[in-house]
Amino acid sequence: DIQMTQSPSSLSASVGDRVTITCRASRSVHTSLNWFQQKPGKAPTLLIYDVSTLHGGVPSRFSGSGSGTEFTLTINSLQPEDFASYYCQQRYNTPFTFGQGTKLEI
Amino acid sequence: QVLLVQSGAEMKQPGASVKVSCKASGYAFVSYGVSWVRQAPGQGLQWLGWISGFNANTNYAQKFQGRVVMTADRSTNTLFMELRSLTSDDTAVYYCARDGVGIAAAGKPDYWGQGTLVSVSS
């Protein structure tokens, strides 16, 4: 299985800040990398697929980059509703695997 | 709008089986598949497998092979995930999520159900 490792595991920031979350794969997943947001008690929602394509309705302050084994999710100008957990996920090989998550706190 | 509505919470004893349903609406059922993902309390996300709404082909994570069965009922646009031989480690919220119709297009779950809590305890 491809292991996905996110850093940091948790992150404190303020409204208006720019934050970056890193995701590393144990081997290349090429550009088959997605990002999800999850708020407490809710289902995850798709933010970005295939490294950098925003899912419909996702604000442009979210962006993704990378390829191969290293990827980043950047959130510009944090808004109050962005404080949540974020997960990367590879879909290059089954089983599809997720990172352990990054909790973004105020 | 795309909706996936899951069945209610379940409490099971160790060794039992659970069957979770996921009723899809708002899209062409046969044009998509569904992935099942679970989340243990306070933990991350784990993919169990995928089923095609077109031909009911499945792809299960090796970890769950032999213990999970995913089915699709095209007459009611409902998907099912049955997990057998439950242990306390299976206590989790189970999610269905719309995904690609073929396995090559899968792995990009874009709309999720609300989740079903399965608790396993004696």
Side-chain angles (χ1 to χ4, degrees):
Chain A
D1 299 1
I2 298 176
Q3 307 302 315
M4 308 299 293
T5 304
Q6 290 180 231
S7 59
S9 296
S10 63
L11 177 59
S12 294
S14 301
V15 172
D17 284 354
R18 177 176 187 258
V19 298
T20 297
I21 298 169
T22 298
C23 175
R24 289 186 173 87
S26 60
R27 60 180 189 269
S28 177
V29 300
H30 298 268
T31 57
S32 299
L33 191 286
N34 305 326
W35 290 96
F36 295 86
Q37 179 191 67
Q38 187 179 31
K39 296 182 179 178
K42 300 294 186 183
T45 59
L46 179 64
L47 284 177
I48 291 172
Y49 61 92
D50 294 344
V51 176
S52 59
T53 304
L54 266 59
H55 183 51
V58 174
S60 59
R61 62 181 179 272
F62 291 90
S63 63
S65 64
S67 68
T69 62
E70 188 154 337
F71 303 88
T72 58
L73 169 69
T74 299
I75 313 172
N76 286 303
S77 187
L78 273 173
Q79 298 301 299
E81 60 268 28
D82 299 337
F83 292 94
S85 293
Y86 293 86
Y87 294 90
C88 63
Q89 174 240 326
Q90 66 80 20
R91 68 180 194 96
Y92 183 70
N93 269 347
T94 60
F96 303 135
T97 47
F98 293 84
Q100 81 281 13
T102 295
K103 186 173 183 179
L104 177 54
E105 300 173 299
I106 298 174
Chain B
Q1 76 279 28
V2 175
L3 274 179
L4 297 165
V5 179
Q6 299 183 224
S7 49
E10 302 262 13
M11 293 188 66
K12 296 292 181 181
Q13 294 201 328
S17 298
V18 68
K19 192 169 185 177
V20 178
S21 69
C22 170
K23 184 167 176 59
S25 61
Y27 70 93
F29 185 84
V30 298
S31 296
Y32 292 86
V34 160
S35 275
W36 289 88
V37 175
R38 76 179 186 180
Q39 186 171 37
Q43 302 300 308
L45 302 165
Q46 184 175 38
W47 183 79
L48 283 79
W50 161 92
I51 181 168
S52 170
F54 175 69
N55 56 15
N57 282 353
T58 55
N59 186 301
Y60 300 144
Q62 181 80 16
K63 175 183 170 75
F64 301 100
Q65 283 276 0
R67 217 162 58 92
V68 71
V69 178
M70 297 177 187
T71 54
D73 183 344
R74 287 168 57 169
S75 69
T76 60
N77 288 1
T78 303
L79 298 304
F80 299 92
M81 187 282 301
E82 182 177 23
L83 189 62
R84 302 166 177 165
S85 302
L86 294 168
T87 72
S88 57
D89 289 342
D90 295 314
T91 293
V93 175
Y94 289 75
Y95 295 101
C96 61
R98 192 182 77 163
D99 208 336
V101 68
I103 191 59
K108 191 180 72 177
D110 57 357
Y111 291 92
W112 293 59
Q114 83 276 19
T116 296
L117 175 62
V118 175
S119 300
V120 184
S121 173
S122 55

